[in-house]
Amino acid sequence: MKLAELGEDRVVAALTKALPVDERVLVAAGDDCAVVRTAGEILLLKTDCVMENVHFTRDASPRAVGWKALCRAISDTAAMGGRPGDALITVALPPSLPLAWAQGLYAGLRRAATVYHVNLVGGETARSPSLIFVSVALTGSVPGGGYVTRAGGKPGDQLYVTGSLGGSIRGHHLTFRPRVEEALWLNEHLAVHAMMDLSDGLAKDLPRLARASQTAYRLDVDRLPVNRGCTVEQALQDGEDYELLFAVAREDAVALEAGWPKAFPRLTCVGELSAGRVRGARRGGFDHFDPRIQSTP
Amino acid sequence: MKLAELGEDRVVAALTKALPVDERVLVAAGDDCAVVRTAGEILLLKTDCVMENVHFTRDASPRAVGWKALCRAISDTAAMGGRPGDALITVALPPSLPLAWAQGLYAGLRRAATVYHVNLVGGETARSPSLIFVSVALTGSVPGGGYVTRAGGKPGDQLYVTGSLGGSIRGHHLTFRPRVEEALWLNEHLAVHAMMDLSDGLAKDLPRLARASQTAYRLDVDRLPVNRGCTVEQALQDGEDYELLFAVAREDAVALEAGWPKAFPRLTCVGELSAGRVRGARRGGFDHFDPRIQSTP
């Protein structure tokens, strides 16, 4: 059985089932970040990677690739209601690569680190036989320790997304702004029941949130905040929006919509969680091992 | 200017110069691990990677590759005088890969995690166009907070290595045991001035320790603990020994040699740090971007 025959979610499930963890681990594999208890605090841990010809092509701006590589992980700390802390960068680079390209990559990493107050504390530089590979490991913290998982949603919760969806391939996937301030505001002002960032498309990610929360969901397709020039199907199925999807109690929705700062991107109620269970994912969204999907450049 | 023309140390120096860090960062890029201060403790942070056709070939046992991938990072937490904590695994896998290979990889990761009391708290699974790539991010802690860097060596310090050196390519590089217990013992019983793990060969790594400590060094080549069937040159220049190299004050050497537990691997004094500075590295050892070196399978 090859990975392509299984699809991403089943590959991940097969590999990460019952990993060894002890009682310090509050959230293990399967959420946007892991959460561990250390001597003095709650620590978020995240790793992520971008690979040439999967997440970017060589003709992309190396600064943009660096920005993307770090911001993807930053977005995951936001998805837990937290902020990023310290980052380690692993790069595998072909020996034929011009130093200027590698320096551009690091310029993008530095820029993202500076904008989001991340410490770049080190990493590893290795040789790659041909393709460029960038992996980011990132710690994070949650003010007050009240992190938000995907699993706390309840039937009746209203589902919101920040910003607009679809068409990320046109450039947004290299320039997006992780919703850190928005996540911290939400975590401070509301009891957010469940949250995640949208990386594989709402059609694939929303069922994941509902499944983790042991609920079903209703999606108001007509209300989706569709990016200009995109179809509803693109808003559902394109990956790499890096917007927040979250669930709050119905009675909190008015306060949320009234209090949502004007400086933030738009906020849209796109549906609600409902009683029941998700049976199989809605088709679509990005699947890393689906042979029908060639690339998200 | 291509990376191959610069060599690994100059590439790393060019990329990681003056990375953005704040006052929480106690040790930044350049040592075996980064060290950061969190709310309640000292946290070690390490990332590392192994790549197909650079660090292993497809015919290697996937369990051994998984063991190696995690144990390399564990070895770096030992090199700081600490123990490993929580690991995140990033894998990029070609869709044509048999699931059994990926499961074997994870079996090796699980085995190393269990033996060294590491929590596998998650990670990322992505598609690779062709080659297998495994990146590990690992936290660690130091009992009492007294971490050991490469930078604290003083002229006159005696230099020791654990175990034997050379010939790792014959198999040791896939099966080695990180020297965690040894490092914890050292950190508890002695004032270790400087320590690192030997990953690129003593000929390359010792000058790094001396340079970080702003000393020169004298190496007693005749006293090197050479693995059976290896030449002195191999003991100097082969990479991936994953033994500890450390410096202690001359007056501590007797207590060290007398107290070194019998259950531990052999301990050898291989030279001493001396007044002066390292001028350029001794030739040899593994260099990731050196075009003369084709591979360390």
Side-chain angles (χ1 to χ4, degrees), chain B residues 173-240:
Chain B
H173 74 108
L174 288 171
T175 60
F176 68 94
R177 308 274 306 198
R179 302 307 190 190
V180 176
E181 287 307 313
E182 293 79 1
L184 293 172
W185 184 92
L186 285 168
N187 207 2
E188 183 184 352
H189 289 84
L190 284 117
V192 180
H193 287 174
M195 186 154 62
M196 68 185 298
D197 72 328
L198 294 171
S199 54
D200 291 339
L202 187 65
K204 180 161 249 174
D205 287 332
L206 173 52
R208 288 172 171 159
L209 185 143
R211 198 177 293 116
S213 291
Q214 301 187 293
T215 66
Y217 63 90
R218 183 179 55 74
L219 185 62
D220 291 344
V221 175
D222 296 343
R223 295 169 70 182
L224 286 187
V226 179
N227 264 316
R228 204 180 315 189
C230 288
T231 65
V232 168
E233 274 307 289
Q234 287 174 310
L236 280 170
Q237 300 202 8
D238 290 355
E240 307 212 76

Side-chain angles (χ1 to χ4, degrees), chain A residues 100-124:
Chain A
W101 203 100
Q103 287 176 315
L105 176 76
Y106 262 80
L109 291 164
R110 285 167 197 264
R111 175 81 187 134
T114 303
V115 168
Y116 288 98
H117 309 292
V118 170
N119 292 310
L120 289 183
V121 296
E124 179 76 8

Side-chain angles (χ1 to χ4, degrees), chain A residues 1 22 47 90 99 119 133, chain B residues 1 22 47 90 99 119 133 288:
Chain A
M1 180 79 79
D22 68 16
T47 184
T90 299
L99 179 64
N119 292 310
F133 187 93
Chain B
M1 180 80 80
D22 68 17
T47 184
T90 298
L99 178 64
N119 293 309
F133 188 93
H288 264 292

